[in-house]
Amino acid sequence: MNASSTRPQLLATGAATVSVVLWASAFVSIRSAGDAYSPGALALGRLLAGALALGVFCLVRREGWPPRSAWRGIAISGLLWFGFYMVVLNWGEQQVDAGTAALVVNVGPLLIALLGARLLGDPMPPRLLAGMAVSFGGAVTVGLSMSGGDGSSLLGVVLCLLAAVAYAVGVVAQKPSLARASALQVTAFGCLVGALVCLPFAGQLVHDATDAPLSATLNMVYLGVFPTALAFTTWAYALARTTAGRMGATTYAVPAVVVLMSWLALGEVPGLLTLAGGVLCLAGVAVSRSRPRARTSRAAAAEPRPESVS
């Protein structure tokens, strides 16, 4: 395989890696901002910051409006993934511990693979299924090791499950739009739709902002600029160049990165069970994104070519 054919794959892998790292960092910021901002206010503030940053990028790059054919996917992903998902996830994480939330939300990649195969005709090769099974086992291990022993709220579990469903449907709806519009357009206008959906929380945002400490507000702005504006754009870039199921499996690396970041940034030393779960998550992602060796192409190249008929 020559350099010209591997470069797009390397760029897509790099973009997916950026998304995973930034989404993992969001857990630390949400923990801080969530103490001062209500779920809806935090979602709206994050989306407004993200929409502003993306709007600047669009102006600099002179990106116009997406074509009409792309708006269906943009509207659905904006409503469900940018808007509904962020509100219910913020709400759910206030009802259950971080381990339980991570465990339930990680149903999302499985739903993405199933919906992608059903609605988009994406293939489900054995390596993808095996890798997702390994990663899901790792996510379960991390979730159980991080869960508190005082039980979890049924409401919180339901909210996290709704977040997983909204995330999966939003990703699958976004995929076709990326064939008609750029990653920046799809992300920017999806974020704008999400912000419009969350406008009913504007009053709560103003109220919370007057009492919130500066650190919480800065964390909210960080969530909008980096885990939203940048990470969702790099995600869309990578999603346009692979299947929804394979990209969904990539997000199983998030729990492992969260464990590492908590260890380095917060001094939270993970236990052996947590470390083992993180290793399983990364191993599963590696398996799901690997490709079988092209035996067929080599065999075909070795066969003698038939003579042309003149």
Side-chain angles (χ1 to χ4, degrees), residues 51 55 175 296:
K175 172 68 174 175
T296 304

Side-chain angles (χ1 to χ4, degrees), residues 72-255:
R72 180 183 178 183
I74 291 174
I76 294 175
S77 64
L79 171 65
L80 293 179
W81 193 12
F82 286 87
F84 183 79
Y85 167 83
M86 290 191 182
V87 174
V88 296
L89 181 61
N90 292 340
W91 189 6
E93 288 190 358
Q94 291 183 354
Q95 306 294 320
V96 299
D97 55 72
T100 301
L103 174 60
V104 178
V105 172
N106 271 310
V107 174
L110 297 174
L111 297 177
I112 290 174
L114 294 175
L115 290 173
R118 177 68 176 174
L119 301 177
L120 303 178
D122 288 347
M124 295 185 68
R127 286 172 180 262
L128 175 61
L129 296 176
M132 293 185 76
V134 172
S135 289
F136 185 72
V140 170
T141 303
V142 172
L144 292 177
S145 67
M146 294 171 61
S147 296
D150 53 351
S152 297
S153 164
L154 177 60
L155 174 62
V157 173
V158 171
L159 289 170
C160 290
L161 183 59
L162 288 175
V165 174
Y167 156 53
V169 176
V171 169
V172 174
Q174 186 188 62
K175 172 68 174 175
S177 296
L178 292 167
R180 303 173 176 88
S182 69
L184 182 56
Q185 287 176 319
V186 171
T187 306
F189 286 91
C191 187
L192 181 60
V193 170
L196 292 175
V197 169
C198 293
L199 276 181
F201 300 107
Q204 188 65 50
L205 174 61
V206 173
H207 176 271
D208 292 349
T210 57
D211 299 326
L214 179 61
S215 60
T217 301
L218 290 177
N219 272 296
M220 181 176 65
V221 173
Y222 170 82
L223 287 168
V225 175
F226 292 98
T228 302
L230 180 56
F232 275 75
T233 302
T234 52
W235 164 275
Y237 176 89
L239 179 61
R241 290 157 177 79
T242 187
T243 64
R246 192 179 295 274
M247 278 301 294
T250 303
T251 61
Y252 274 123
V254 170

